[in-house]
Amino acid sequence: MSEIHPPTAQGQTRARDAQTQAAPRTMTELRQMAIDTHQAGDLARACKLYRTFLANRPSDASIWTNLGALHRKQKDYATAVVCQRKAVEIAPDSSDFLNNLGNALYDNGDLEEALAVRRRVAEMRPGQAEPLQYVATALRGLNRHAEAVEMCDAGLALDPDHDELKVQKSMALLALGEYGPGFDLYEARWSGDEVSKPDLPEPEWQGEPLAGKSILVMPEQGFGDTILMARFLPALKALGGTVILACKPQLKRLFAELEGIDLLAEIGSKKPKIDYWISMMSLPRFVDLTKETIPAPARLHVPEDSRTRAGKLLAPHNGRLKIGVLWSGSVTYRANHKRSFSMERFLSLAAIPGVSLFSLYKGPLLEAYQSSGMASVIVDAAGSEKDFADSAALIQGLDLVVTMDSAIAHVSGSLGAPIWNLLHFSAYWLYGPWPETSPWYPSMRLIRQPAPDDWTSVFDRVKTDIAAMAAQRGGR
């Protein structure tokens, strides 16, 4: 069987019944109870039931693959891989179990093996487009974008309406700097389950004349993507319409004087009268975007009270090399575990003479940082921030920002502040065509993993370069 399906009404009912009835009398009942509990979403209890069953029936491949799917859902990818290996060991000719193994390997960062397993699944399912999608995803993860495009084309030849293949091809094209066809194909994202179109009665803008019309620009994904795409608003405004930008409260002050808009509308406020709407991630479709015509980053507004706050925080460290650091982005982002790393990675930087580190992190992991030893050697500069305007003011007062790829990276790059962006081996499409710098953000240095999940090499390089900077400055 393939990975466990989402909860069903029948499965939820059986799981509730199972919780109230007596212990299962047979292994068959135990097996069914484990599956029902899993389908109902009670992962902790399902895990215990699976373990009990497998302790007595270790040759059940379907239960091993279900347990692997459960651990993958819990983001315990290493354990998921082992469970899926056991399923494949028992049933090596099952394309379903191999597919599940490929998924676990990919999430665990074992990209070469994931590619090999996914190719095998595709061979076992000739004439099917979906397996080729997973092969393309693995190729993208290995930065083999041209091959990924070819694989997507092969899949689309079998199923021209396969939206996920279109999305995978679009991401590969974008990573190659082929922005025109890449953003056109990226419209297929609306057919997936990761993003949904705004529920608005007005029509989505498709390039109609805007003179005398009003258009609402909607944010779509994370804060970083919103900041990234804000550079295209002046081109939209040049078409002659009234441009209204909807934004989350955390960006409102930062966008207070944004070029290319007539009105800033906070998400949750009353919607103004409009003729059209468009998503920010769709804006590049309507400009002649090439690697040579990338607009400059949006100019951000930094309020005076934010500058005052930042000045007070940084003043005691004048004369030292002041570096802002960030180790995690939004924990709700499905690939955050790949782009992020342990905050303890910065411990070696904190020990460099003449260096003061400042945490730029604000989010659900804040308490873990504040209660750890890292808070003793990295000043908590962001825990009391109101919004990204406070972040921007702090960044302007720093000598350098060292961060994983995050919204803070986009703020820093938009401000023209010196930033070292530490990139996972399978970096975001934005950084695809360039090894160490990017025209999207001229002040940004890209430092990439030389191999998947090799943060040690990245931080060895960072430590060496910061030690040289500190020695040159002669800080105290």
Side-chain angles (χ1 to χ4, degrees):
M1 62 185 291
S2 213
E3 289 192 0
I4 202 79
H5 295 293
T8 62
Q10 184 181 15
Q12 291 173 334
T13 300
R14 287 203 301 256
R16 285 194 296 269
D17 292 344
Q19 292 176 17
T20 58
Q21 68 186 29
R25 293 168 295 180
T26 66
M27 295 304 295
T28 300
E29 289 182 0
L30 175 61
R31 187 181 192 277
Q32 190 60 54
M33 182 181 290
I35 293 172
D36 293 344
T37 306
H38 189 176
Q39 288 182 325
D42 188 348
L43 301 187
R45 186 165 184 267
C47 188
K48 292 179 181 179
L49 293 171
Y50 281 142
R51 289 170 177 170
T52 301
F53 177 85
L54 288 168
N56 292 278
R57 297 288 190 274
S59 60
D60 192 318
S62 293
I63 296 304
W64 275 117
T65 207
N66 280 3
L67 183 56
L70 185 152
H71 283 298
R72 184 178 178 225
K73 180 72 173 179
Q74 294 176 321
K75 300 184 179 182
D76 183 357
Y77 301 119
T79 302
V81 168
V82 174
C83 291
Q84 299 297 356
R85 288 194 192 281
K86 289 183 177 294
V88 170
E89 177 188 355
I90 297 164
D93 296 325
S94 168
S95 63
D96 286 337
F97 299 161
L98 280 166
N99 187 61
N100 294 346
L101 173 60
N103 292 341
L105 287 165
Y106 181 83
D107 287 338
N108 197 49
D110 303 317
L111 301 182
E112 290 285 1
E113 187 179 0
L115 175 60
V117 170
R118 287 176 169 182
R119 286 193 188 280
R120 184 179 171 193
V121 172
E123 292 171 356
M124 296 170 74
R125 299 176 179 177
Q128 295 185 26
E130 185 175 14
L132 301 183
Q133 164 205 322
Y134 292 108
V135 175
T137 304
L139 287 167
R140 282 187 51 234
L142 289 163
N143 297 321
R144 293 160 63 176
H145 301 295
E147 292 177 67
V149 170
E150 293 177 358
M151 189 59 60
C152 290
D153 285 339
L156 290 168
L158 297 170
D159 183 358
D161 297 323
H162 197 290
D163 288 312
E164 186 56 36
L165 274 167
K166 293 178 183 178
V167 170
Q168 291 302 319
K169 182 178 178 180
S170 76
M171 300 302 285
L173 287 170
L174 291 173
L176 292 168
E178 300 293 335
Y179 298 129
F183 276 109
D184 281 342
L185 274 174
Y186 193 52
E187 291 300 293
R189 71 194 183 278
W190 298 120
S191 300
D193 57 5
E194 289 194 20
V195 293
S196 300
K197 285 191 176 184
D199 185 17
L200 297 172
E202 295 83 7
E204 181 180 4
W205 185 61
Q206 298 293 340
E208 295 89 345
L210 284 178
K213 304 291 184 178
S214 59
I215 183 169
L216 176 65
V217 183
M218 292 291 295
E220 177 187 327
Q221 299 180 27
F223 292 114
D225 287 323
T226 301
I227 297 166
L228 171 69
M229 291 293 149
R231 71 185 69 214
F232 294 104
L233 291 168
L236 181 65
K237 177 60 183 173
L239 298 178
T242 298
V243 178
I244 305 165
L245 175 64
C247 78
K248 296 179 180 179
Q250 297 93 324
L251 291 173
K252 190 173 182 180
R253 291 201 304 153
L254 197 67
F255 283 177
E257 298 180 2
L258 201 60
E259 184 182 357
I261 65 173
D262 298 286
L263 177 66
L264 194 62
E266 186 175 324
I267 294 291
S269 63
K270 183 178 179 181
K271 180 174 70 70
K273 183 179 179 181
I274 61 171
D275 296 294
Y276 300 103
W277 68 269
I278 187 173
S279 166
M280 292 199 81
M281 294 296 289
S282 294
L283 287 174
R285 292 179 61 210
F286 301 98
V287 300
D288 183 19
L289 183 62
T290 68
K291 287 185 286 188
E292 293 73 35
T293 62
I294 298 169
R299 291 196 293 270
L300 306 178
H301 173 62
V302 184
E304 188 59 37
D305 62 331
S306 296
R307 295 179 189 274
T308 300
R309 173 187 176 274
K312 291 178 179 178
L313 278 167
L314 298 174
H317 302 266
N318 286 342
R320 299 175 62 82
L321 188 63
K322 299 184 286 293
I323 302 175
V325 297
L326 186 65
W327 53 89
S328 177
S330 171
V331 296
T332 60
Y333 175 53
R334 60 182 177 81
N336 190 58
H337 70 286
K338 293 187 177 184
R339 64 175 181 171
S340 301
F341 40 79
S342 168
M343 58 184 166
E344 281 76 19
R345 291 279 186 183
F346 287 115
L347 193 60
S348 62
L349 306 188
I352 297 174
V355 169
S356 289
L357 299 185
F358 299 84
S359 166
L360 302 178
Y361 181 80
K362 183 176 183 178
L365 304 179
L366 182 62
E367 184 177 349
Y369 151 68
Q370 291 175 332
S371 61
S372 75
M374 296 305 296
S376 299
V377 293
I378 303 178
V379 178
D380 181 11
S384 61
E385 285 181 351
K386 296 190 293 290
D387 53 19
F388 279 103
D390 279 352
S391 305
L394 186 68
I395 288 166
Q396 286 186 324
L398 295 169
D399 297 300
L400 177 66
V401 172
V402 179
T403 176
M404 37 68 65
D405 192 28
S406 63
I408 287 296
H410 292 277
V411 173
S412 302
S414 295
L415 293 170
I419 170 176
W420 295 357
N421 195 354
L422 312 185
L423 299 178
H424 185 264
F425 186 79
S426 308
Y428 190 42
W429 64 262
L430 186 69
Y431 312 112
W434 301 282
E436 294 189 354
T437 60
S438 169
W440 289 87
Y441 291 118
S443 69
M444 182 180 289
R445 176 189 181 191
L446 309 178
I447 304 180
R448 301 173 181 273
Q449 288 183 343
D453 299 323
D454 181 8
W455 287 118
T456 298
S457 295
V458 170
F459 274 88
D460 285 346
R461 185 176 178 185
V462 169
K463 180 183 178 182
T464 297
D465 291 354
I466 287 181
M469 288 176 62
Q472 184 176 17
R473 171 176 287 235
R476 55 186 185 279

